Amino acid sequence: MSWITKTFSSSIGRKIVMAVTGLFLCTFLVVHLVGNLQLFNADNGAAFNAYSEFMGHNPLIRTMEIVLVLGFGFHIYDGLVLAAKNRAARGNQRYVVDHIEQNSSWHSRSMALLGSIVLFFLIVHLYNFFGSLRFTDVPRDANGNEDAYALVISAFKNPFYVVLYVIGQVALLYHLLHGFSSAFQTLGLTHRKYTPAIKYIGYGFSIIVCAAFAAMPIYFYFFK
Amino acid sequence: MFPDSKIPEGPLAEKWDKHKFNVKLVNPANKRKYDVIVVGTGLAGASAAASLAELGYNVKAFTYHDSPRRAHSIAAQGGINAAKNYQNDGDSVYRLFYDTIKGGDYRAREANVYRLAQVSVNIIDQCVAQGVPFAREYGGLLANRSFGGAQVSRTFYARGQTGQQLLLGAYSALSRQVAYGKVKLYTRTEMLDVVIVDGQARGIITRNLITGEIEQHAGHAVVLATGGYGNVFYLSTNAKYSNATAAWRAHKKGAYFANPCFTQIHPTCIPVSGDYQSKLTLMSESLRNDGRVWVPKEKATAERLRKGEIRVNDIKEEDRDYFLERKYPAFGNLVPRDVASRNAKMMCDEGRGVGSSGLAVFLDFADAIKRNGADWVSQKYGNLFDMYAKITGENPYEQPMRIYPAVHYTMGGLWVDYNLQTTVPGLYATGECNFSDHGANRLGASALMQGLADGYFVIPYTIGDYLAQTPPKPVTTEHPAFKEAEAEVRARVQKLMSINGTRTPDDFHKALGHIMWEYCGMARTAEGLQHAKAEIQKLRREFWSDLKLVGTEAEMNQALEKAGRVADFLELGELMVDDAYHRNESCGGHFREEYQTPEGEALRDDENFTYVAAWEYTGDNQVSALHKEDLRFENVKLTQRSYK
Amino acid sequence: MAGSNPNAKPMNLTLKVWRQKNRNTQGGIVDYQVKDISPDMSFLEMLDVLNEDLLRKGEEPVAFDHDCREGICGSCNLFINGRAHGPEPGTTTCQLHMRKFNDGDTITIEPWRANAFPVNKDLSVDRSAFDRIIQAGGYISVNTGGTPDANEIPIPKEIADRAFEAATCIACGACVASCKNASAMLFVSAKVSQLALLPQGHVERKSRVENMVAQMDKEGFGACTNIGSCAAECPVGISLENIAILNREFLSAKATSNNLA
């Protein structure tokens, strides 16, 4: 093994991969959210469809898509490896009585579970939109753009999807509440002056992003 | 004839340097042909093992703990003395030497103590280089505090955890040698005997505390760094595992035991709260820098306090007797330990003691808090205050602490010459395990100093002198002496397992401790000591006929471990009593009520007792033979110690 | 003060204690009753009472590790009612006193559980993995003698204090025991940051962190997921900040050291 693979397969190395990819995925969330805010435009989806068309065909975006897939891939793979190793490290005999809830928060201990829920949501989400847009012929709107907006409306007529999307965002919220500041800790980016701020920015980020995403299915279900 | 103490000739200040030049050296290429066994991995053992391995010897280090870092050196709180004179307050090697000799009530060897003071400065350099985080001033230089028995600030410290930091420094040096393969570490392995081949120490017999296996280990020399025997008293500030077995086994194999009755009672311990008590907790003597010791002036007030009719904070300033400040205005609360302890006992004997048992005095920080604020006090003593609060459930920031003396340290130990060699060639004793440097009373912050001095700076030189005269042939366990020693150990273990009586090892230990504390503790009388001797003999007979153990010897069996140690305490206790009985004087930690000044201070008899009492084992239930090593004071004039 | 009640009555308790003959056998919980326990007893003194009782009855006493009984040697290590060292924060098992419990309580006592800490017997576990991690690099390579005068290296008080705080780790293993991942990062980070903070430690800074982390992984400890249980249960208050320092040291060592292995 070279020093690189050794570094990134060590316990701290894997954590560094988790942190870097996690923060990268946070930037993706921002981009994705900003674009999707077009859904709230009162133009029957004209702006949203234009944005969607752009995202689907711009070469730079298409390249970044590969990076994004890699980001997800490493985050998920290392997450699963770490979860398995960490579980094994405890050994076969668990505590008969364990009150770990008295010394740590539930969501910080449940990152693998929360991540898995988010992953399930992500697969459904990709099937709903990305899959349809990329792999099937979608009707076009008045401007000649693929009518992604119509897909959104039809998907969120289904209460099952609405509930699933909201659950997905709640899971993401808790995942981020721990993950955001945890990534800084893992990268060693702590300082007595700045760490408290990072923590609060993390909270704010998680709540705003997830609330905004969750508002979309709810908005469409009730108002469209 | 008494064995040669090998003190070098010449002026005091030149003895050690001369000696270092005169000792024989082992050629660097030959060092790897010698195996040295080090038993114990506290300050003295870990520092010796690491330093010897660095020189090139093959070291086998043994500890009964699960890790070398658990040795009781770790619990030392206050600090370590060194004659650095960083404070520019008049300290010097000679002053540290003088304070230590005087503090020891003129019962220590001048040459050894001077050497200790000399190397004290190297210890601090060594520890800092290892990364020991001593307390520092804002300018980045090292800080000092003052300690009992000295009028200069020469104590280096790491908050209230100096022993921990120093031990972790030695442990890290040891770990490094383990990684290099120069030290082979045996954890959870207890030494149960020393093996003598042709009159020389050539190995040890051990028991693996997890599997119960009895094993033989050979070496060209054996260093015992196994600590003191304060647990003879059952209740002491020593750790629960601390025991005398290694030293006592060596004694029974020919090593003389020196001054066994010199035990130190530490004045600032948390008082006993009930029969179930398993150990006593010390609070650093450094507390006496800012705490003021007092009891109520009137016996009646103390009585009302004990009954709970009044509270301590109700007692007015003028009704308090700050007895140490009153009696010793020059040193005040910072008198040496034996003086402070004895005075606390006197107050309680007068009926002015406090606490529900009446066996406690107050240590009050109200003035320090008023003067410098609670934060300042917390900065300096926070961990001690927290510990006190945890144990007693009382808040020492709001009401004074209650303290009482407790057995803390044993100045006596295996007799060693200037080279730290016992009367058995090839068998060395370092640290608290030997008797050498503290006389009849040890000054605060000097135990860490001595342990590290022996391990880092003395034994690496002196052991070479012996090894250089030993052929560098491999040593093995093939000699019949190993088989014999192993058979003895096995027989003894099996004997313990097979008694099948009714009383537990702890039960016997408590009974012994009671006898020792009552008759051979802070104050002793000839009559009491004779009584104690008979009681101990009786108890020992009962032990060997009524001990109860369960399980087997071929597994982890903590009660069996305990029983072996108690068996040795039952023999050592009697020797302590013999020693205390024979020494018809009071000095340092040894206070015979018959020998005191009109003011109640210890009254030495320099004419008849200026010697080290070294006892030779002569057989089971036989009277030990007393040998006397005369102490010659060529530099210090013997005076009545005065701290007024 | 809180918890202190000088008039508290002796207590009767039910103990559920993990009993296990040795490393190779299965263990299980056994129930015991202890009577007349004084609130002023320490937790270990309460176990002494149980053990004396068992021994007198001809039953095997419960094996557990302990030594100094003043909270500094790091030997004692009991998992009490689902918490490392019991319910009281900042306290080792030996410093936990029975006044924190009530008459009639049931107390479950288990050993530390981690793959890297196999059980020796009953409540005693093997923590030699910690020693091997220190042996991998938790030291400054200076031989005895020949060191410069102690005051030749001025160290800012604030740095010395922080190094001291990291150095107060007692290696009890509560961090591993309470971490859901059985991670030893708090232990390792305490030593790495102590030596990284001090100028004396800078010489071997890179190899130290690389080797210690490699050994930590080899011993089978889990990875840190920053849940904070370790620091919350640490009896001497080792801070999570040390783990961040460890991560930083590791990253910068891996990025810049000449070690290609």
Side-chain angles (χ1 to χ4, degrees):
Chain A
M1 262 197 296
S2 79
W3 70 271
I4 300 178
T5 48
K6 257 192 188 164
T7 300
F8 290 110
S9 59
S10 69
S11 58
I12 300 183
R14 284 189 196 280
K15 285 295 300 165
I16 289 169
V17 171
M18 292 302 285
V20 170
T21 53
L23 288 177
F24 168 68
L25 295 175
C26 284
T27 64
F28 158 73
L29 285 177
V30 175
V31 174
H32 192 42
L33 178 67
V34 169
N36 283 14
L37 285 176
Q38 316 282 351
L39 284 171
F40 296 114
N41 250 356
D43 60 357
N44 275 325
F48 179 74
N49 287 343
Y51 154 76
S52 169
E53 188 75 20
F54 169 79
M55 295 302 277
H57 296 94
N58 183 291
L60 184 69
I61 300 292
R62 292 298 295 269
T63 315
M64 279 309 290
E65 212 171 80
I66 298 166
V67 180
L68 183 63
V69 169
L70 286 174
F72 269 113
F74 278 114
H75 196 78
I76 293 163
Y77 172 74
D78 266 344
L80 291 173
V81 170
L82 281 171
K85 284 197 169 192
N86 289 345
R87 212 180 145 70
R90 167 64 74 226
N92 294 328
Q93 182 62 54
R94 325 295 285 186
Y95 287 112
V96 177
V97 177
D98 192 353
H99 284 300
I100 197 167
E101 79 284 356
Q102 292 174 5
N103 59 39
S104 56
S105 62
W106 173 82
H107 63 278
S108 72
R109 296 192 308 272
S110 311
M111 292 298 276
L113 171 70
L114 293 166
S116 303
I117 296 172
V118 173
L119 178 61
F120 178 71
F121 156 77
L122 185 68
I123 292 165
V124 174
H125 180 51
L126 287 172
Y127 163 77
N128 284 156
F129 301 107
F130 184 84
S132 303
L133 288 167
R134 181 64 54 83
F135 302 113
T136 62
D137 282 332
V138 175
R140 295 189 178 262
D141 68 2
N143 299 324
N145 293 325
E146 287 184 319
D147 197 351
Y149 192 73
L151 284 179
V152 176
I153 292 178
S154 89
F156 295 146
K157 282 280 170 266
N158 184 343
F160 167 75
Y161 284 132
V162 174
V163 170
L164 178 71
Y165 273 54
V166 171
I167 289 174
Q169 290 314 306
V170 171
L172 181 63
L173 166 68
Y174 279 105
H175 197 74
L176 289 176
L177 277 181
H178 178 66
F180 189 91
S181 55
S182 173
F184 285 86
Q185 164 87 1
T186 298
L187 295 173
L189 300 173
T190 56
H191 192 280
R192 282 163 196 210
K193 283 181 182 160
Y194 310 120
T195 297
I198 290 170
K199 214 167 177 171
Y200 287 113
I201 291 169
Y203 290 159
F205 175 87
S206 318
I207 293 167
I208 292 168
V209 169
C210 297
F213 274 127
M216 292 166 192
I218 293 170
Y219 170 75
F220 277 85
Y221 183 72
F222 286 108
F223 303 109
K224 287 283 168 181
Chain B
M1 203 196 115
F2 198 86
D4 183 5
S5 57
K6 303 211 174 96
I7 294 170
E9 294 302 315
L12 187 62
E14 292 167 22
K15 282 180 195 286
W16 178 231
D17 284 339
K18 269 194 176 159
H19 189 67
K20 282 197 285 188
F21 180 75
N22 287 332
V23 294
K24 296 193 174 51
L25 297 176
V26 178
N27 165 330
N30 271 349
K31 287 202 175 90
R32 72 176 82 95
K33 296 179 185 162
Y34 290 100
D35 299 336
V36 181
I37 288 174
V38 179
V39 186
T41 55
L43 281 183
S47 58
S51 303
L52 292 171
E54 286 162 11
L55 288 174
Y57 299 112
N58 304 308
V59 177
K60 288 178 168 186
F62 294 83
T63 169
Y64 51 66
H65 285 109
D66 66 335
S67 161
R69 64 183 297 152
R70 313 257 187 242
H72 199 52
S73 309
I74 206 158
Q77 297 168 354
I80 176 165
N81 288 330
K84 282 284 196 187
N85 192 30
Y86 282 162
Q87 304 306 322
N88 195 30
D89 58 358
D91 199 10
S92 62
V93 167
Y94 193 87
R95 187 176 293 282
L96 175 53
F97 153 76
Y98 178 81
D99 286 350
T100 308
I101 287 281
K102 178 186 170 196
D105 221 354
Y106 309 99
R107 291 294 175 265
R109 273 189 207 139
E110 279 192 342
N112 283 54
V113 175
Y114 195 84
R115 173 177 67 188
L116 177 67
Q118 278 178 306
V119 302
S120 70
V121 297
N122 304 108
I123 296 171
I124 303 304
D125 300 343
Q126 183 64 32
C127 294
V128 166
Q130 286 169 345
V132 170
F134 283 122
R136 285 176 185 269
E137 306 288 357
Y138 283 99
L141 301 184
L142 291 160
N144 289 114
R145 58 166 59 138
S146 46
F147 242 71
Q151 286 175 309
V152 292
S153 275
R154 62 159 77 97
T155 306
F156 294 79
Y157 63 99
R159 217 164 293 175
Q161 287 152 258
T162 317
Q164 179 195 30
Q165 295 309 317
L166 295 176
L167 180 62
L168 293 183
Y171 161 74
S172 72
L174 175 66
S175 297
R176 173 171 160 246
Q177 295 304 317
V178 172
Y180 291 169
K182 287 304 289 179
V183 173
K184 178 136 176 53
L185 185 62
Y186 295 82
T187 57
R188 297 214 193 239
T189 305
E190 181 170 24
M191 172 190 143
L192 292 181
D193 213 346
V194 58
V195 182
I196 314 281
V197 175
D198 303 328
Q200 320 223 16
R202 281 288 180 268
I204 58 171
I205 306 295
T206 60
R207 180 169 177 270
N208 180 318
L209 299 182
I210 301 294
T211 64
E213 270 169 79
I214 309 282
E215 288 156 350
Q216 305 172 351
H217 299 275
H220 293 87
V222 176
V223 180
L224 298 184
T226 53
Y229 50 89
N231 270 348
V232 151
F233 292 86
Y234 185 75
L235 284 181
S236 81
T237 65
N238 286 8
K240 290 295 284 178
Y241 293 165
S242 298
N243 68 80
T245 288
W248 190 251
R249 299 279 115 202
H251 173 59
K252 291 181 87 166
K253 283 283 167 86
Y256 290 5
F257 209 107
N259 298 335
C261 79
F262 287 170
T263 49
Q264 177 166 79
I265 315 283
H266 196 291
T268 46
C269 300
I270 300 176
V272 177
S273 72
D275 293 338
Y276 48 80
Q277 190 120 3
S278 61
K279 78 152 274 161
L280 295 171
T281 303
L282 166 87
M283 288 180 302
S284 168
E285 173 171 322
S286 63
L287 288 171
R288 288 196 278 141
N289 272 310
D290 293 293
R292 300 178 68 197
V293 179
W294 65 274
V295 289
K297 259 192 191 140
E298 301 299 329
K299 198 172 150 186
T301 319
E303 262 165 30
R304 291 182 61 204
L305 192 63
R306 288 200 291 270
K307 286 182 191 149
E309 293 168 9
I310 51 169
R311 298 173 62 86
V312 52
N313 292 340
D314 299 338
I315 301 174
K316 289 200 205 79
E317 193 59 30
E318 59 267 28
D319 296 330
R320 302 177 175 194
D321 177 14
Y322 296 91
F323 55 93
L324 292 178
E325 295 170 25
R326 171 171 58 82
K327 292 171 77 172
Y328 309 96
F331 280 69
N333 293 296
L334 282 176
V335 289
R337 292 175 172 177
D338 55 335
V339 179
S341 293
R342 210 150 45 236
N343 276 282
K345 181 179 188 298
M346 278 160 67
M347 295 303 127
C348 296
D349 289 349
E350 284 175 21
R352 296 199 279 150
V354 300
S356 53
S357 62
L359 291 176
V361 299
F362 287 124
L363 178 64
D364 201 335
F365 286 83
D367 278 1
I369 291 172
K370 207 184 288 169
R371 191 171 62 236
N372 298 313
D375 281 351
W376 182 87
V377 170
S378 159
Q379 265 288 316
K380 249 179 133 170
Y381 308 112
N383 62 328
L384 299 171
F385 276 47
D386 291 348
M387 186 169 77
Y388 182 84
K390 267 178 205 159
I391 292 173
T392 61
E394 294 170 2
N395 183 350
Y397 291 99
E398 285 167 8
Q399 63 186 81
M401 293 180 174
R402 285 173 296 111
I403 55 168
Y404 198 64
V407 176
H408 177 55
Y409 187 90
T410 49
M411 282 73 69
L414 292 176
W415 183 90
V416 289
D417 62 18
Y418 190 71
N419 291 326
L420 304 182
Q421 186 168 242
T422 67
T423 45
V424 176
L427 182 65
Y428 290 78
T430 61
E432 191 180 349
C433 183
N434 72 30
F435 87 106
S436 72
D437 295 355
H438 306 298
N441 174 56
R442 178 176 66 74
L443 289 183
S446 285
L448 302 180
M449 172 172 69
Q450 187 224 335
L452 290 180
D454 288 358
Y456 283 136
F457 297 110
V458 179
I459 198 92
Y461 292 93
T462 59
I463 206 168
D465 191 48
Y466 171 77
L467 292 174
Q469 299 172 62
T470 307
K473 287 185 305 198
V475 282
T476 66
T477 54
E478 271 161 31
H479 194 279
F482 279 90
K483 210 168 274 172
E484 274 167 40
E486 185 189 325
E488 273 174 44
V489 166
R490 281 185 191 281
R492 188 178 153 83
V493 168
Q494 275 152 15
K495 174 88 192 351
L496 289 167
M497 290 304 302
S498 63
I499 298 169
N500 204 16
T502 61
R503 292 172 68 183
T504 64
D506 251 16
D507 199 8
F508 285 107
H509 194 183
K510 278 183 190 174
L512 173 66
H514 189 74
I515 299 169
M516 296 302 294
W517 180 246
E518 206 55 37
Y519 302 107
C520 197
M522 256 190 292
R524 302 152 176 187
T525 63
E527 194 190 351
L529 289 163
Q530 273 184 310
H531 176 73
K533 187 176 167 77
E535 290 282 298
I536 294 170
Q537 288 173 343
K538 187 166 146 253
L539 189 65
R540 198 163 61 227
R541 283 193 297 274
E542 284 168 15
F543 176 88
W544 286 104
S545 61
D546 197 19
L547 176 72
K548 171 103 184 164
L549 291 176
V550 294
T552 71
E553 65 268 37
E555 61 179 339
M556 187 171 178
N557 190 335
Q558 291 175 320
L560 170 63
E561 294 164 25
K562 184 73 201 267
R565 295 165 192 170
V566 173
D568 290 331
F569 282 143
L570 281 164
E571 295 177 12
L572 170 59
E574 188 179 343
L575 184 66
M576 289 168 67
V577 166
D578 285 344
D579 188 43
Y581 179 75
H582 110 280
R583 191 170 277 277
N584 289 320
E585 64 163 351
S586 293
C587 59
H590 170 63
F591 189 77
R592 282 278 299 271
E593 286 183 7
E594 303 95 317
Y595 308 100
Q596 52 181 311
T597 64
E599 303 94 53
E601 302 294 339
L603 186 63
R604 288 198 323 268
D605 178 353
D606 291 333
E607 201 167 314
N608 295 306
F609 288 96
T610 310
Y611 64 76
V612 175
W615 298 87
E616 181 187 5
Y617 185 77
T618 52
D620 285 344
N621 299 313
Q622 303 286 312
V623 181
S624 300
L626 172 64
H627 302 270
K628 298 175 183 176
E629 178 199 346
D630 287 327
L631 291 168
R632 290 199 309 274
F633 290 92
E634 290 160 352
N635 300 275
V636 172
K637 202 170 137 258
L638 274 65
T639 57
Q640 160 82 34
R641 273 193 317 171
S642 169
Y643 292 95
K644 294 182 191 291
Chain C
M1 81 173 279
S4 149
N5 182 359
N7 303 317
K9 295 253 165 12
M11 300 180 281
N12 295 331
L13 304 162
T14 303
L15 304 180
K16 292 177 155 321
V17 183
W18 184 264
R19 302 301 308 259
Q20 182 171 340
K21 191 140 185 63
N22 55 44
R23 191 171 294 198
N24 307 316
T25 53
Q26 259 298 318
I29 293 279
V30 178
D31 289 13
Y32 299 101
Q33 307 291 326
V34 285
K35 296 200 168 62
D36 293 332
I37 297 301
S38 158
D40 286 329
M41 275 185 194
S42 72
F43 196 85
L44 296 183
E45 285 166 347
M46 184 273 294
L47 283 182
D48 290 342
V49 170
L50 169 70
N51 274 347
E52 286 290 285
D53 205 35
L54 288 175
L55 192 51
R56 269 192 280 267
K57 284 195 290 193
E59 292 176 41
E60 271 203 60
V62 179
F64 63 91
D65 284 321
H66 65 98
D67 194 24
C68 77
R69 298 206 176 189
E70 40 190 279
I72 193 76
C73 76
S75 295
C76 62
N77 54 343
L78 301 181
F79 205 76
I80 301 164
N81 281 347
R83 302 276 300 274
H85 294 302
E88 183 74 359
T91 304
T92 55
T93 302
C94 65
Q95 296 287 280
L96 176 66
H97 279 66
M98 296 312 292
R99 63 179 78 93
K100 304 290 172 191
F101 296 88
N102 298 308
D103 188 29
D105 278 0
T106 296
I107 305 174
T108 307
I109 311 169
E110 297 176 73
W112 284 174
R113 298 203 191 279
N115 251 355
F117 288 168
V119 172
N120 293 318
K121 181 177 184 175
D122 298 338
L123 303 170
S124 164
V125 299
D126 179 352
R127 286 169 289 189
S128 51
F130 273 4
D131 285 328
R132 290 189 292 273
I133 293 174
I134 297 295
Q135 286 157 17
Y139 46 76
I140 291 170
S141 298
V142 287
N143 282 355
T144 303
T147 49
D149 184 88
N151 259 351
E152 269 184 30
I153 322 165
I155 301 172
K157 181 171 169 19
E158 189 219 332
I159 299 290
D161 284 351
R162 281 172 65 195
F164 168 79
E165 273 157 29
T168 55
C169 167
I170 58 174
C172 64
C175 45
V176 174
S178 48
C179 175
K180 80 175 181 65
N181 311 327
S183 168
M185 290 273 279
L186 194 66
F187 168 78
V188 177
S189 72
K191 186 48 75 183
V192 167
S193 44
Q194 176 205 342
L195 298 181
L197 283 162
L198 295 172
Q200 303 95 301
H202 284 192
V203 181
E204 298 162 281
R205 180 169 193 174
K206 293 176 187 174
S207 59
R208 174 179 306 118
V209 67
E210 289 187 330
N211 294 337
M212 287 180 76
V213 169
Q215 188 65 34
M216 171 182 87
D217 287 352
K218 201 168 141 195
E219 297 289 348
F221 292 105
C224 176
T225 50
N226 303 328
I227 63 174
S229 292
C230 54
E233 297 292 11
C234 176
V236 296
I238 302 294
S239 150
L240 277 184
E241 193 189 0
N242 291 305
I243 295 185
I245 295 175
L246 169 65
N247 293 334
R248 195 153 69 217
E249 289 289 312
F250 178 80
L251 196 53
S252 82
K254 283 293 181 189
T256 62
S257 79
N258 286 319
N259 175 18
L260 293 176

